[in-house]
Amino acid sequence: MRTQLDRLAIESPDRRVVIITFNNEVVIWGTEAHSDITIAGDRLDQFDELFEMGRTGIRWESVPPISESCAALKEKVDALSEGGATAMGPALSVCLGIASSHRKSEIVLCTDGAPNVGVGSLEAESKPKSKAAASMSGESKGTQFYRMVGERAKENESIISIISIQGADCGLEQLSMCAEATSGTSNILVPLELVREIRKIGQRKVVATDVEATIFVHPHLALAPSISASGASKATLTIGNVTNESDMSISYAVRPEFRSSLAGSIPFQLQIRYTRPDGSRCIRIVSATKHVTADRTEAEKACNAAIVGMAAIQRAAALAQEQRDFKAARELIHATRHMLRRGAVSDEQQEELGNFVTQSDDMDAELRALEQRSSSSSTSSSSGGARSQAPPSLDDHSAQLLGSKKKANRNQFLAASKKTVVDKRKGDKRLNEAYYNFQFE
């Protein structure tokens, strides 16, 4: 934390930083302009009250820039100690209230435990449920809460990133919804990696907000169900925040009645509406025409291996995370691997195939373990005379892995010759010194 504060003071001296801690109570640490604010008791169960306390408890314009408050904030960080419960939901509610006063804010949540106090508590959800409760409960209150937090932050064009500690059960399956909705990150780290990860979060720049994409394909084509539930030829997606690491893929198929007649070339168009960092509203239109072939070998040899690989990883992760269809996710990975092996003829394609294999190996192993666990659970439920309708839950490691694969970007798959290399990327000398001179005490 000290290192990140030093970095912010050098790189973004005008940024305003507020530190909030939580255990069995929530504390908004004061500055020269206001004293500490402590929230405890029944108020931790009231989202609206917590949000309002964050919104009105601190006047954003009164918070000094990090260039002035850095020393005082570091003193407060040094005085922190762990203890008590984990009122994470109430702390996030307060953060949302504070962020509502300033659009495009960033919330970085660090925790070594699952939320178990106040709104968003997951403690009750970890207890075994009866058969009737498991089949009728639907989406849990904790899941609904963190989904709502993510949507509220997205509306404010804010980003939420989650950092949890390895070995601690932090309920990342639910918490990661906040990060996913706002284009943030979710990571599990050992303490020695915290400095590097917080630095990486600071380097992820938001390049556009309030992003909306409309996709047009030929009427003889149908967009995938994940894009259009009805299989239409046009769909509009609300994306929200986009960073310099954001990539997404669109899948489609030829409608069955036109498979034998489709020929020549077909048009595609993408319309992107977005807000730039300077506040201007823009639209970008990208149109392209693609050649149609009935020759499978020709199509596979002409494929962009990096994009095909990225799309398969993203889709497989979504199948596993959202639908708990681990078998279908594994089948997609293996089918893509076989197709790329048939079509990879150039050196670049071979390298991108290797990158895909590297990215998919750990995911396939995790999916296999999840599939076996799900199968064992179903067998046990069936032998007991009833089968629960509730989908199997994900532990922190599985939730983090699938979440990161779902947001995979093309740089992870591109051949080295296609990547943009910045020569002599030395960066700011003061930032480098602050990073490399850091010592753990």
Side-chain angles (χ1 to χ4, degrees), residues 68-201:
E68 300 175 12
S69 63
C70 185
L73 290 174
K74 287 195 292 185
E75 287 182 7
K76 293 181 181 294
V77 169
D78 291 340
L80 295 178
S81 61
E82 63 175 342
T86 309
M88 189 187 307
L92 268 176
S93 303
V94 172
C95 288
L96 278 182
I98 296 174
S100 68
S101 302
H102 187 75
R103 299 179 73 84
K104 304 177 184 177
S105 297
E106 185 169 9
I107 300 169
V108 179
L109 175 66
C110 302
T111 182
D112 63 352
N116 55 19
V117 172
V119 292
S121 172
L122 302 179
E123 190 170 61
E125 298 176 20
S126 63
K127 298 177 181 178
K129 295 181 179 179
S130 67
K131 179 186 73 175
S135 61
M136 298 177 62
S137 60
E139 194 172 62
S140 68
K141 287 185 177 180
T143 299
Q144 293 173 4
F145 173 79
Y146 292 106
R147 190 183 301 280
M148 179 273 293
V149 167
E151 291 302 320
R152 291 283 290 266
K154 181 179 177 180
E155 291 172 3
N156 194 54
E157 300 176 4
S158 297
I159 291 181
I160 300 176
S161 292
I162 313 293
I163 298 177
S164 61
I165 303 301
Q166 185 173 326
D169 181 10
C170 300
L172 205 58
E173 180 181 5
Q174 289 81 11
L175 291 178
S176 61
M177 293 179 178
C178 302
E180 184 177 332
T182 60
S183 297
T185 61
S186 299
N187 277 292
I188 303 173
L189 306 173
V190 298
L192 291 175
E193 296 176 317
L194 284 174
V195 175
R196 175 175 173 269
E197 183 58 31
I198 293 177
R199 175 176 60 86
K200 286 172 62 180
I201 290 174

Side-chain angles (χ1 to χ4, degrees), residues 10-86:
I10 294 172
E11 193 173 34
S12 306
D14 294 329
R15 273 199 177 188
R16 303 174 191 272
V17 176
V18 176
I19 295 178
I20 297 174
T21 57
F22 52 92
N23 40 45
N24 58 323
E25 59 186 20
V26 176
V27 179
I28 308 174
W29 290 86
T31 65
E32 295 178 359
H34 64 84
S35 57
D36 297 347
I37 301 174
T38 300
I39 308 169
D42 293 341
R43 291 187 296 178
L44 299 178
D45 297 313
Q46 307 298 324
F47 170 79
D48 291 337
E49 185 175 348
L50 291 163
F51 181 90
E52 192 64 18
M53 290 188 72
R55 189 181 70 84
T56 60
I58 294 181
R59 290 188 301 108
W60 188 255
E61 61 274 12
S62 71
V63 178
I66 186 65
S67 58
E68 300 175 12
S69 63
C70 185
L73 290 174
K74 287 195 292 185
E75 287 182 7
K76 293 181 181 294
V77 169
D78 291 340
L80 295 178
S81 61
E82 63 175 342
T86 309

